[in-house]
Amino acid sequence: MQPLSAACLHAVHGAYAAGLIAPVIIGDRRRLESLAANSGIALPDWIFHDTGSDEAAADLAASLAAAGDVSLVIKGNIKTDILMRAVLRRRGTSGEGGRLSHVFAIDMPSVGYHKRLYVTDGALNVSPSVDVKEIIANNAIDLLQSLGIQRPKIAVLSAAETINSAMPSSVEAAEVAERIQARALALGPVALDVALSSNAASVKGIDSPVAGDADLLVCPNIESANGLVKMAARQPGTVIAGLVIGGTYPIVLPSRGDAQRSQLASCGLGRKYLAWLQYNDRRR
């Protein structure tokens, strides 16, 4: 990673101090040392790889992860598309399969939702087909199971609770919900208000254990998921973590504008998912 922002550097240092990660820093070492000095952070004896550009840093991070030399990639102060292009190029040459997808984890104390809410996919898959949505949902189920939610409650979103051929997202939501029933309690199509509010569900006559108690929202496209999360981020006290899953290693993918708490939460989420991946690899 290239943590050339104060918030990112504080988050990495906090994750290191908490024993979550042993950082391998990729980027401009002199700029990082200057930032650390200005931020009052004493850099531990971390491993450094000096690179001259964001593209070079991303390529090296992807290479180290693909080779198994690092177990987790954390995006620093570089653009998501630069990092993900490098990851996908490396996957292409290594022959690694599996569709990557992104999940946001949101804590919204001021809104009053009673538990952490997960949202997919607001960062990678732009306009997924039914088959891709099924993969995205199953990737997210893996993540939730790694966190101890064995049979998550999943709302596959559209604009209403009825199937309407004029609204393709409603048709697709019904199919995706049916396909993932073996692993989750799924409801779809369903509108956002019913997914998050038992009162709204009652008014609309929706009787489902998912209504008002969803763990995960599977959104129709990247715009709806990204917009939903960014609206939540504007609420006071909200903490949002972001993670890319579906590959052989997780990618911690916070926004460059995220506060320190959110970036640290992303590191913690990535570390938990990594432990689950490693446990399942040992069982095979």
Side-chain angles (χ1 to χ4, degrees), residues 185-205:
L185 293 170
L187 176 63
V190 62
L192 180 63
D193 59 342
V194 171
L196 302 184
S197 169
S198 56
N199 288 335
S202 177
V203 168
K204 291 186 175 183

Side-chain angles (χ1 to χ4, degrees), residues 134 138 141 151-152 154 156 173-188 208-210:
E134 180 184 3
N138 276 308
I141 291 170
R151 191 165 172 80
I154 299 178
V156 189
E175 188 166 350
V176 172
E178 179 63 28
R179 291 186 187 186
I180 62 176
Q181 286 289 353
R183 302 188 67 202
L185 293 170
L187 176 63
S208 166
V210 177

Side-chain angles (χ1 to χ4, degrees), residues 54 91 154 221 233 245 247:
D54 287 352
R91 281 167 59 88
I154 299 178
N221 50 42
I245 56 179

